[in-house]
Structure formats: structure tokens, C-alpha cells
């Protein structure tokens, strides 16, 4: 009885993927570089690693985000190509998944052809990527619920919200940024209420979903608090995964879109305000950059949370209470199903009084407005 001879790829994987040393990677890369006939199997195994990541709850944006954080730009290009190559073999997914793939394709088209490299260097990068993919932990599966297709009015509403927030991010005048952000939040609230009323008339069409939003270092704890405040104000729940640098936001689709848009815009505005305030502090002779920034963002997140909570209390009229209450119950149930066990954490490293004061004032300028009355 004879046994089959392991392929070059199998031998390279055995040497390199389960070891930490550079010497092991070099040995595996040398095997692959010496055998051009192994290229096809190497690509196929990469697509299998990607498919395995989907089976463990990861999504395209999640994988790209962790590869970008842990490795280099060349690895990001490699994993993007693998994800796009694996797509024809994958089962149908929801619109959020499709949007992530479309974004990867657009980024690849914009980046153009990758620089040429020698076979050994290429094999080394591939093995580094595969080693990371192999060790990805299991995440909560975020299967997208069935939902109705976006109507032209919904698409126009989201386009207007994006345009307002883009202007708020671009302007150098705090008062203008405040007004634009407030208007964007008003439109988001109107969109959310309209969706809730539509679902109340046809409840089978809509159900809570979830998405993951990156919460990257530095100052990730303050950023997670800011995202939680935005999520709560928009009838969603956020659960932070600190080791993997993202929060999972649970809610109805219109609200999830609002959270993504508003959080991203507020973070951009906060960073710009922080940079300006820090420059003024340093011009006055203060050099505690890290503590100032940490305290600034912590205060910004805290004040935004306080103000959004106050606004949320004024957004709901008596006639809307039953509709929104039922949706809140559904969101809470979905959150508990995905995360049956969670813990709370407290902000750390907030010790700069000037940073806290400047951050709170910046949050005041970024205050969002209340929901307009329905016609």
C-alpha cells in the first residue's frame, strides 16, 4: 500500500504556516519559489482560506481591515484579489456584503497593477497572509435579514445626508459644520421614522440586522464610546470588540446607515478640531500631546453622548411610541442573541484638563439637532 507524495504547497504550508520564525517562512517561500507549477494550487488554497473565514463569521471588510492593521499594503492587495477571485464560488449574500465587494473592486481599479516582484518575495507575502487567515477567530455571524429594495426617495435621502456630512467635514467654520451636521441628523431621524412606520404597516418586510464598524487605535476606547452614543441615539445597540478593533452595531437597516454616516463624520470633525486645539496648546508651550488627545476625544465622546441622549428624548411623539418600542424590543433581542454575555468598561487615561475642556467645547459645536415635525 503506497501513500501519495505531499505537494510543494502542502510541504510549504507544513513548514511555514504553523511556525512563528522568519526562518520557517523563508524555508516555505523557497519551496514555492522553486516550483512555478505550484502557483495554481497556492491560489486555490488561498480562496479556500477566504471561504473558511466566511464560515467563521468574517465579512470582506472585516478581513481587509485586520490585514491592513496586522500586515502591509501588499498583503491588502493580495487578500483583496483573493476575495474577488473567490466571489464566483460563493453563495448569494445580502446587499451590505455586495457593497463591500464593490468597494474592493473600486479600490483595486484605482490602485492599478501592483509592482512586480521576485518569486521568493511574493511567496513570502502570500505565506504571511495565509498564516493570518488561518488563525482568524470565530465571530458572530451577521446574516443579513430579508429587506425591501431601496426606493428612489430612500436613495435620494441618503445621498442628501452624505452630501451634508461631507460639507460639514470640509468646512473650516465650526458654526457651519454644526448646522450641516444638525440638518443631516434631522434627515436621518426623518428617514428612520418613515422606515419604522412603513415596517409597522408591513412588519414581515423588515427585521434587525447588524454591521461591523472599525474602531482603530489610537484612542480607540474614546472612539468606541462615541460610536456607542451615536448608535443609541439612532435606536441601535453597539458592542465593542477591543482586541479586533471593531464594534458590532445592531439595528434596522435605515438606522445602521445613519450610524455609519454620522459616526464617521463626527470622528472626522473631532479629529480636525483636536488637531487645531492641540496646535494652539503647543503654541502656548504645552507638549503633552498624547494625554491631551486622549482627554480631548474622551470629553468629546462623553459630551456628544449626553447631548444625543437629550435629543433622543425629544424625538419621539406619543403616536410613535408603540412603533419604536416594538423595534427596540426586536433590536435588544437580536443583540442578546448575538452577544449573550457582555461586559462594561470604563474610560482610562483621561487626565488632561485642557484636553477635556477643549473636547467638550468641540462636541458642543458638533451638536446635532432634534427630529423635525412630520408633515
Amino acid at each position: 500500500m503506497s501513500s501519495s507524495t505531499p505537494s510543494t504547497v502542502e510541504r510549504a504550508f507544513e513548514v511555514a504556516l504553523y511556525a512563528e520564525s522568519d526562518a520557517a517562512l523563508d524555508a516555505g517561500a523557497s519551496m514555492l519559489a522553486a516550483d512555478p507549477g505550484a502557483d495554481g494550487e497556492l491560489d486555490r488554497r488561498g480562496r479556500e482560506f477566504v471561504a473558511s473565514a466566511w464560515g467563521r463569521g468574517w465579512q470582506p471588510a472585516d478581513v481587509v481591515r485586520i490585514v491592513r492593521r496586522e500586515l502591509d499594503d501588499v498583503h491588502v492587495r493580495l487578500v483583496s484579489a483573493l476575495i474577488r477571485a473567490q466571489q464566483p464560488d460563493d453563495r448569494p449574500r445580502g446587499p451590505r456584503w455586495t457593497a463591500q465587494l464593490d468597494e474592493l473592486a473600486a479600490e483595486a481599479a484605482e490602485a492599478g497593477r501592483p509592482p512586480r516582484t521576485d518569486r521568493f518575495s511574493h511567496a513570502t507575502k502570500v505565506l504571511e497572509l495565509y498564516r493570518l487567515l488561518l488563525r482568524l477567530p470565530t465571530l458572530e455571524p451577521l446574516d443579513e435579514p430579508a429587506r425591501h429594495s431601496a426606493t428612489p426617495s430612500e436613495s435620494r435621502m441618503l445621498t442628501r445626508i452624505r452630501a451634508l456630512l461631507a460639507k460639514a467635514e470640509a468646512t473650516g467654520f465650526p458654526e457651519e459644520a454644526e448646522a450641516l451636521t444638525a440638518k443631516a441628523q434631522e434627515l436621518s431621524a426623518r428617514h428612520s421614522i418613515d422606515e419604522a412606520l412603513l415596517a409597522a404597516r408591513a412588519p414581515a418586510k423588515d427585521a434587525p440586522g447588524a454591521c461591523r464598524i472599525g474602531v482603530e487605535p489610537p484612542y480607540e476606547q474614546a472612539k468606541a464610546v462615541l460610536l456607542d452614543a451615536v448608535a443609541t441615539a439612532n435606536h441601535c445597540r453597539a458592542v465593542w470588540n477591543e482586541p479586533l478593533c471593531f464594534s458590532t452595531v445592531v439595528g434596522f437597516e435605515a438606522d445602521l446607515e445613519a450610524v455609519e454616516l454620522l459616526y464617521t463624520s463626527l470622528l472626522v470633525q473631532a479629529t480636525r478640531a483636536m488637531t487645531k486645539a492641540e496646535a494652539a496648546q503647543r503654541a502656548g508651550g504645552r507638549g503633552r500631546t498624547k494625554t491631551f488627545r486622549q482627554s480631548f476625544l474622551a470629553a468629546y465622546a462623553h459630551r456628544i453622548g449626553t447631548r444625543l441622549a437629550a435629543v433622543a428624548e425629544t424625538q419621539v411623539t406619543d403616536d410613535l411610541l408603540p412603533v419604536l418600542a416594538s423595534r427596540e424590543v426586536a433590536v435588544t433581542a437580536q443583540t442578546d442573541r448575538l452577544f449573550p454575555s457582555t461586559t462594561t468598561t470604563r474610560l482610562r487615561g483621561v487626565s488632561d484638563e485642557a484636553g477635556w475642556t477643549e473636547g467638550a467645547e468641540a462636541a458642543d459645536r458638533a451638536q446635532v439637532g432634534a427630529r423635525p415635525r412630520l408633515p
Side-chain angles (χ1 to χ4, degrees):
M1 182 176 180
S2 61
S3 60
S4 59
T5 302
S7 68
T8 300
V9 171
E10 291 173 335
R11 290 187 288 111
F13 283 4
E14 184 67 27
V15 169
L17 294 192
Y18 305 97
E20 297 287 348
S21 69
D22 291 339
L25 276 175
D26 290 347
S30 296
M31 297 178 192
L32 296 172
D35 185 3
D39 292 353
E41 182 183 355
L42 186 65
D43 290 341
R44 177 180 61 79
R45 294 296 295 273
R47 296 193 297 274
E48 290 176 357
F49 283 129
V50 167
S52 178
W54 304 161
R56 298 199 299 279
W58 291 73
Q59 295 190 355
D62 304 325
V63 171
V64 171
R65 183 170 54 247
I66 196 169
V67 170
R68 179 174 286 117
R69 178 164 62 90
E70 297 292 335
L71 299 173
D72 300 320
D73 287 344
V74 63
H75 300 94
V76 173
R77 289 196 296 270
L78 287 171
V79 78
S80 176
L82 280 177
I83 291 171
R84 289 179 283 114
Q86 190 271 338
Q87 181 182 359
D89 299 327
D90 200 17
R91 64 176 175 83
R93 307 278 184 170
R96 187 176 293 278
W97 189 289
T98 301
Q100 294 177 23
L101 293 175
D102 291 343
E103 185 174 348
L104 288 182
E107 290 176 354
E110 183 178 349
R113 295 179 62 86
R116 297 179 64 86
T117 185
D118 62 273
R119 290 185 56 82
F120 176 80
S121 297
H122 174 75
T124 300
K125 299 300 183 184
V126 169
L127 289 175
E128 288 171 341
L129 173 62
Y130 289 5
R131 187 164 64 181
L132 175 62
L133 295 177
L134 179 67
R135 298 175 182 182
L136 292 178
T138 299
L139 301 179
E140 301 78 14
L142 305 184
D143 294 330
E144 296 187 49
R147 55 180 293 228
H148 65 281
S149 300
T151 64
S153 62
E154 289 175 327
S155 298
R156 286 194 298 271
M157 180 72 77
L158 291 174
T159 299
R160 290 177 64 192
I161 293 171
R162 289 189 180 95
L164 287 168
L165 292 176
K167 290 180 181 179
E169 295 163 20
T171 183
F173 301 97
E175 294 81 6
E176 183 182 13
E178 176 188 348
L180 292 166
T181 304
K183 182 61 177 176
Q185 176 62 17
E186 290 175 358
L187 292 179
S188 297
R190 171 71 66 93
H191 187 40
S192 176
I193 294 298
D194 289 345
E195 285 286 301
L197 294 174
L198 175 64
R201 291 191 290 268
K205 289 186 176 181
D206 204 6
C211 67
R212 298 188 183 103
I213 298 178
V215 182
E216 300 287 350
Y219 319 117
E220 61 272 22
Q221 194 177 41
K223 294 175 184 177
V225 172
L226 175 62
L227 177 53
D228 182 75
V230 174
T232 301
N234 286 276
H235 318 296
C236 297
R237 298 276 299 276
V239 178
W240 182 33
N241 186 320
E242 183 175 7
L244 295 179
C245 299
F246 64 74
S247 285
T248 302
V249 183
V250 183
F252 288 84
E253 187 61 30
D255 299 327
L256 293 176
E257 291 169 343
V259 169
E260 288 185 283
L261 290 171
L262 186 57
Y263 168 71
T264 301
S265 179
L266 286 172
L267 192 57
V268 170
Q269 294 180 56
T271 302
R272 184 177 64 240
M274 178 180 68
T275 302
K276 183 177 180 179
E278 180 188 40
Q281 290 287 322
R282 295 179 68 180
R286 299 183 73 246
R288 291 183 294 165
T289 301
K290 183 175 181 180
T291 56
F292 179 87
R293 290 186 172 189
Q294 174 81 355
S295 299
F296 183 102
L297 288 177
Y300 186 92
H302 175 76
R303 183 62 64 88
I304 283 289
T306 301
R307 291 186 171 272
L308 287 178
V311 169
E313 292 179 359
T314 67
Q315 287 182 338
V316 181
T317 54
D318 290 343
D319 60 316
L320 294 172
L321 280 174
V323 175
L324 296 181
S326 66
R327 288 166 75 86
E328 182 178 354
V329 169
V331 169
T332 300
Q334 178 74 341
T335 305
D336 292 343
R337 184 185 69 81
L338 289 172
F339 304 99
S341 178
T342 60
T343 60
T344 58
T345 187
R346 301 180 64 179
L347 278 170
R348 301 182 297 269
V350 180
S351 59
D352 191 297
E353 182 178 355
W356 182 272
T357 301
E358 294 278 3
E361 292 175 355
D364 287 341
R365 293 193 295 269
Q367 177 185 1
V368 294
R371 176 176 65 87
R373 288 181 296 177
L374 294 175

